[in-house]
Amino acid sequence: MHLAPDLVRDRRHHLRVYSCSFDAADCLSWLIEENEAPSRVAAVFLMNILQKSRILHHVTDDHLFKDQHLFFRFRQDDNTFPVTQVTRLFFFAQRLHDRYELQRVHRPQCREKNSRNGC
């Protein structure tokens, strides 16, 4: 599940369908709206880091990430992400963190900040 389910979806260009992809320009707008980047230039810089780190790629591997209507995809979504023991461990830790955060949001607030009941 993605944080912006309408951002990542199947997209059509000419006669091809690119599953689980996102529009680069829309992604930059979303990053700014969510306060993940202060500007479009900064957002492009961040996305280029992810591309160079092989986290995402252009759907046909023809473009670097830029502020244009180009389709990109997370490598995890098309099974091209290089899976190693370290990445498996990272994804496991990420799932644990996400579950913890979900439970924390739904847990009643503690009255004392330093209580021993784990709040």
Side-chain angles (χ1 to χ4, degrees):
M1 183 170 125
H2 296 279
L3 295 177
D6 56 324
L7 190 64
V8 176
R9 59 183 168 83
D10 294 351
R11 295 173 184 275
R12 182 177 303 275
H13 182 68
H14 297 292
L15 298 176
R16 290 222 39 198
V17 174
Y18 299 98
S19 63
C20 295
S21 59
F22 60 92
D23 180 281
D26 293 343
C27 176
L28 298 179
S29 297
W30 182 82
L31 287 168
I32 292 167
E33 288 170 16
E34 294 295 315
N35 294 317
E36 296 294 339
S39 68
R40 294 185 84 77
V41 171
V44 167
F45 180 78
L46 293 171
M47 297 306 286
N48 273 307
I49 290 172
L50 293 179
Q51 186 174 13
K52 288 175 185 168
S53 300
R54 299 184 45 83
I55 303 297
L56 58 89
H57 65 108
H58 180 259
V59 292
T60 60
D61 294 320
D62 291 333
H63 297 277
L64 292 176
F65 198 95
K66 50 190 151 193
D67 192 356
Q68 293 181 358
H69 292 289
L70 298 169
F71 297 160
F72 285 81
R73 181 183 293 137
F74 288 99
R75 289 192 176 275
Q76 186 176 3
D77 289 340
D78 67 1
N79 295 319
T80 61
F81 187 80
V83 178
T84 64
Q85 185 175 358
V86 172
T87 56
R88 275 192 204 98
L89 182 61
F90 173 80
F91 286 127
F92 173 73
Q94 183 66 46
R95 282 193 307 274
L96 287 178
H97 175 266
D98 292 346
R99 287 175 54 196
Y100 170 78
E101 285 297 310
L102 183 64
Q103 290 176 357
R104 187 179 65 81
V105 168
H106 292 74
R107 192 179 316 151
Q109 295 294 319
C110 295
R111 291 183 192 165
E112 298 177 27
K113 277 199 166 203
N114 296 324
S115 71
R116 293 181 182 241
N117 65 1
C119 294

